[in-house]
Amino acid sequence: MGEDIRLAAVVALAQGMAAAHGSREAWRAAAAGACRALGGSFAALSVWERELGRLRVLVNVGELAAGEEEFPDGEAYPVHQFPEITEFLHERWAGGGEPNAWVETAEGPAAGGRPGYVHQRVAALRRRGRGSCVVAPIVLNGRAWGELYVARPAGAPVFGREDADFATVLASVVAAGIAQAERLEEARRLAFTDALTGLANRRAVDVRLEEAVDRHKRDGVVVSLVVCDLNGLKRVNDTRGHAVGDRLLERFGSVLSLCGAMLPGALAARLGGDEFCLLAVGPSADDVVRAADELCRRAGELELGEGVACGVASTADPIGPVQSARRLFRLADAAQYRAKAERAVKPVVAGRAGPDDPVVRLADAAPSGETAERRQFRGRLP
C-alpha cells in the first residue's frame, strides 16, 4: 500500500472518529476505519476491564461470523487466555516506548508474530474462517486501554510486518480519538449533572420535561412531576456551617434517588438551592404518589434538616389539559407550596380532593416568597 494511500486512510479514520456522536459511534468508526486502512474483512475493538480480569469486545464490524454481533452484550475473554495483554504494563511502555502490533495466522506465528504465547486467537481464526489477523495494543494516558483487532479471510494475503507497523500507527490514532470521545462524553455528562449531589440538574429537567409533555400530547403517555423543597437547610447552614448543609443536600439527594428507583426510568434532579424534583414518564399517578409518600417519610427520618415539602402533579389526575411543560411544573409547584404552608408530612397532590389530598388548582401568579432558582427554572419553560 502506497504512503499516500495510507496517509489518506489515517486521515479518514481520524475524521470518522471526530464526527462520531457518543462513544459507541466512535468505537464503530475506529474499527471500521482500521479495517478499511488495513484491507481487512473484519475488525473488532476491545477494552481491558482490569477489575474483572477480562478483555471485553465493544464492537465488531465487517463480515461477522456466526454468533458475532455488532455491539455484543457479553462477548468477553479471560485475560489469561491472551497473556500478551499483561505486557501492556511493561516498564518500557510506561517510559514512553511503543507497544508494537503483531500478526497471527490460522497456521501459527507469522512474520511479526509472537511465538510462545497461548494461541486462542489461532483457534478462533480457524473456527471463523479467517486466515490471519493483526493485533494492536491501544494505550491511553500511559496505560493499556485495550486492543484493535483486524482480520482477513482464509485465502486472502496474510498480514505481514509492514501491516503490523501500520496497525501500530492506527492504534495511536484510535487512542487519540477515544480520548477525545471520552472527554466529550464527560463534558455532556457534566452539562446535565448537579456537581454536589450527582443528580440531574435543571437543564436536564428542562429537556426531559419538554420531551415528556410532547409524548403526552402525541401518545397520551402519563407524565408526573414531584417538586420538593428541603426544609431547614438555611437553619443548618446558619448554625452548623455550609459544609454540613452540603451534607444534608447530598443525603437528601441519595434519598431522592432511592425513591425515584421505585419508578422505572424516573429522573431525579436538583433544580438549585434546596429545590429538587422527580420526573416520571409512564408510571401511574398512584405509583408516583406512593414514591413521593416514601420520599417524605425517609426525608423526615434524616438526622439533619426538617423533612421535605412535596407537591405532585400528574397528567393522569383531573388537572385539565396539559399542553406545556410550564403548566405541569406550576401545578406541582403550587402543590408543593401548599404542602409547605400546611407543614404537611405527606405529599400534596394537584387535582385530588380529600382529607389527605387537598385540591390544588393552577395559580397564574407565582407564589409569594418564590426563590430565585425556581423563578429562573419557571422562566426557562415555555
Side-chain angles (χ1 to χ4, degrees), residues 67 77 115 131 167:
Y77 304 95

Side-chain angles (χ1 to χ4, degrees), residues 65-103:
E68 290 177 332
E69 300 175 357
E70 183 178 22
F71 292 106
D73 287 331
E75 186 180 353
Y77 304 95
V79 74
H80 69 77
Q81 290 187 4
F82 305 102
E84 71 273 358
I85 192 75
T86 61
E87 265 195 37
F88 290 13
L89 296 178
H90 195 283
E91 289 180 3
R92 76 176 190 270
W93 292 350
E98 282 282 329
N100 294 322
W102 68 93
V103 173

Side-chain angles (χ1 to χ4, degrees), residues 31 42-46 57-61 75 138 147-151:
F42 169 86
L45 187 68
S46 303
V57 178
L58 298 173
V59 63
N60 294 310
V61 300
E75 186 180 353
I138 296 172
E147 67 174 37
L148 178 66
Y149 174 99
V150 180

Side-chain angles (χ1 to χ4, degrees), residues 33 76 103 116 152 171 183-184 249-250 259 264 267 271 296 345:
V103 173
R152 287 176 179 167
R183 284 193 295 269
L184 290 174
L249 289 168
E250 290 178 290
C259 294
L267 180 73
L271 303 177
C296 290
V345 295

